């Protein structure tokens, strides 16, 4: 099972992976490419990953969710070049009841954003290209750019 | 047997995103001498040209695990030095 | 716009209705037909509605969600005969951020279940046919079968 | 002009699901005399054959709005008497 993909993400296929006759509640989340970032117009972006660690971390997060709630859950993260509106990430959780489906889906997307080593380079309409978060870090001195930092 | 002078004297460091662009590629070799922990390695990287890019929010993974500054680093480990994550 | 349908619900179509270049977070919920109900094996079921009131109530709930969160949100409820695994209900909410998308999606499914006049008749594998909730009400005396009752 | 003896003397009641099956169809007519509120109408329905099906969790909508027992009911209103909801 590979959680990273360079092909368009098909939500129906992910739903089919986790659906089942005893799982009547299916919660999904799609993250799509927005046309702006911090007030600037975006043309497109590129995702890159530390692939072996990203795959392993995705697998861990899904196992955590399945241990915590009675659900089947899966995810995909797109890599490579994406256009506005493309699906960058998808999470689907199916359970017997909607409470657990929503809770597991939310858990997975939050953990994914905090732990999976993926980076995003945005191309703005004005032609500039920037790695997201890189500038925040350079500006600060001793100040963390995000909550998940280690030092 | 591993020859100390060839394999064991170098730490291979994977770099990503802005770090790879600024520090000379996706895989660099750093002399192992004097590096015992993640903190030592970061100090060495910050002394490189453009080393200022390795900011306070840098993440390090040793053998695919997020690893705090005190974590031991040995030649032969898979060490990744990463800017803040931006997935999802 | 009709929120009730006798045709299979297509999630991709609903997502296309609410997606947009400034809405990067899309939360969905699907309710599917389970193969059991209160311990009994189900073969299939049929949904019926008080259609004009159901359409109007769906419209109200979606307006409430759009007033409360900055989202585009839609839903469908299937009517007629359904088999195990068929999608009975779908809700999709798209917003600039995932918090509001999840919150609006959850709000709509909860309100739908509590307020939209739809009923379900289950056919069990043993051949019996029962309206869901009808028996609960007959058993109790003065005790409400659900939280949304009026007397 | 509406003729009291023809239209105004009857309340048309829509029934659903188990209520339609047990009380004689999806649309029944109930003499309006003595019925001023939702509570009055429910009392009348419970006196019909199989009227016990109209349990304590019954919902009533007058002109497409959920309506509590004290709500006024007039001939000509669209009145729906509904078992507990089971959608979704």
């Amino acid at each position: 099972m590979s959680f990273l993909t360079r092909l368009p993400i098909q939500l129906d296929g992910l739903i089919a992976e986790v659906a089942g006759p005893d799982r009547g509640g299916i919660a999904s989340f799609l993250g799509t490419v927005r046309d702006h970032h911090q007030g600037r117009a975006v043309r497109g972006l590129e995702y890159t990953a530390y692939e072996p660690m990203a795959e392993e971390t995705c697998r861990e997060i899904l196992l955590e969710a399945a241990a915590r709630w009675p659900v089947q859950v899966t995810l995909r993260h797109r890599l490579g070049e994406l256009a506005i509106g493309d699906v960058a990430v998808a999470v689907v959780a199916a359970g017997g009841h909607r409470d657990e489906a929503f809770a597991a889906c939310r858990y997975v997307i939050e953990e994914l954003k905090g732990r999976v080593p993926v980076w995003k380079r945005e191309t703005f309409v004005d032609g500039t290209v920037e790695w997201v978060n890189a500038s925040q870090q350079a500006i600060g001195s001793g100040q963390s750019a995000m909550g998940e930092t280690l030092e | 047997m591993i020859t100390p002078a060839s394999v064991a004297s170098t730490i291979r460091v994977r770099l990503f995103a802005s770090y790879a662009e600024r520090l000379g590629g996706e895989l660099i070799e750093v002399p192992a001498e004097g590096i015992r922990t993640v903190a030592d390695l970061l100090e060495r990287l910050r002394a490189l040209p453009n080393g200022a890019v390795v900011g306070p929010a840098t993440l390090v993974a040793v053998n695919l695990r997020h690893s705090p500054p005190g974590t031991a680093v040995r030649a032969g480990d898979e060490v990744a030095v990463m800017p803040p994550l931006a997935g999802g």
Side-chain angles (χ1 to χ4, degrees), chain A, chain B:
Chain A
M1 167 69 76
S2 182
F3 302 110
L4 306 174
T5 176
R6 292 176 182 277
L7 301 174
I9 293 172
Q10 304 293 347
L11 180 58
D12 284 348
L14 298 188
I15 290 172
E17 264 183 42
V18 297
D22 57 341
R23 292 186 286 280
I26 304 174
S28 308
F29 179 78
L30 299 178
T32 64
V33 178
R34 290 201 291 169
D35 62 359
H36 61 278
H37 179 73
Q38 297 177 336
R40 296 168 66 191
V42 171
R43 181 188 298 154
L45 52 75
E46 183 178 356
Y47 280 102
T48 180
Y50 179 18
E51 298 195 24
M53 184 175 173
E55 293 281 4
E56 176 63 16
T57 308
C58 288
R59 202 181 63 83
E60 285 173 6
I61 292 168
L62 294 175
L63 288 172
E64 289 162 13
R68 190 158 160 190
W69 295 279
V71 293
Q72 291 277 326
V73 58
T74 192
L75 71 84
R76 289 294 184 285
H77 199 301
R78 182 98 179 264
L79 297 182
E81 296 192 4
L82 280 74
I84 306 300
D86 283 353
V87 175
V89 62
V91 178
V92 185
H97 301 280
R98 62 191 183 281
D99 275 346
E100 58 230 36
F102 274 110
C105 183
R106 189 71 201 254
Y107 177 83
V108 170
I109 186 65
E110 297 302 325
E111 294 299 308
L112 183 155
K113 284 182 169 268
R115 291 160 55 185
V116 177
V118 172
W119 299 274
K120 174 162 63 175
R121 182 166 56 179
E122 287 184 317
T123 301
F124 294 95
V125 168
D126 67 13
T128 57
V129 175
E130 267 176 34
W131 289 101
V132 173
N133 283 350
S135 59
Q136 279 127 288
Q137 196 185 215
I139 293 162
S141 60
Q143 217 180 344
S144 276
M146 59 187 307
E148 298 77 17
T149 57
L150 291 170
E151 47 163 356
Chain B
M1 261 189 72
I2 293 166
T3 313
S6 62
V7 177
S9 59
T10 291
I11 297 170
R12 289 156 64 92
V13 178
R14 294 182 184 280
L15 300 172
F16 299 91
S18 52
Y19 292 6
E21 280 185 4
R22 304 292 294 281
L23 296 178
E26 297 187 343
L27 185 60
I28 65 171
E29 303 209 340
V30 175
E33 198 180 340
I35 297 178
R36 283 176 305 174
T37 65
V38 164
D40 295 338
L41 174 64
L42 289 174
E43 193 182 336
R44 186 74 57 84
L45 293 176
R46 287 173 177 139
L48 294 174
N50 296 320
V53 74
V54 182
T58 297
L59 296 161
V60 178
V62 179
N63 300 326
L64 308 190
R65 309 295 306 184
H66 285 297
S67 299
T71 307
V73 175
R74 291 173 196 85
D77 283 339
E78 169 145 341
V79 181
V81 176
M82 307 177 282
L85 309 182

